[in-house]
Amino acid sequence: MSQLTIYGIKACDTMKKAMVWLQEQELAFALHDYKKQPIDAASLERWCNEHGWETIINRRGTTFRKLDDARKQDLDQDKAIALLLENNSMIKRPVLDLGTRTLVGFKPEYYQTELSQS
């Protein structure tokens, strides 16, 4: 398996849980912290093509909920990517890049199952 990269915000509780889990499994990973290095459009497009933009955008988070309703209307993949580029904190966390595919969100059993297949 190639080096894993975990994308998100270092201070996020879910990110912390995912990173601790990876460390406990003795899996090396690199952290891509959106607060230090924003995500690029190509990565967002790849993730949206793999999972659907509805999975990548975090509608439950504060940042999305604070958007005015006009910006939330008639979303499609292009509009969602534009919003995510403006507001990296609206990206569902974490995104774990396995090299050939990505995992979105964190649940220990999900990581265990998916990583055992890699």
Side-chain angles (χ1 to χ4, degrees), residues 42-86:
S43 294
L44 286 171
E45 187 171 343
R46 189 173 66 252
W47 299 345
C48 288
N49 288 340
E50 182 178 357
H51 300 282
W53 66 266
E54 298 90 343
T55 298
I56 302 302
I57 196 165
N58 181 7
R59 294 175 183 259
R60 298 169 87 185
T62 308
T63 306
F64 184 83
R65 287 184 284 136
K66 285 184 177 179
L67 283 178
D68 54 82
D69 290 337
R71 301 214 54 209
K72 297 180 203 177
Q73 297 300 317
D74 301 320
L75 281 179
D76 60 18
Q77 183 164 310
D78 291 337
K79 289 177 185 176
I81 288 173
L83 277 176
L84 295 170
L85 286 169
E86 288 176 37

Side-chain angles (χ1 to χ4, degrees), residues 6 10 15-23 29 31:
I6 190 166
K10 188 176 182 179
M15 286 287 297
K16 289 177 185 176
K17 290 175 188 172
M19 290 187 292
V20 165
W21 188 91
L22 290 168
Q23 290 166 344
F29 63 90
L31 169 64

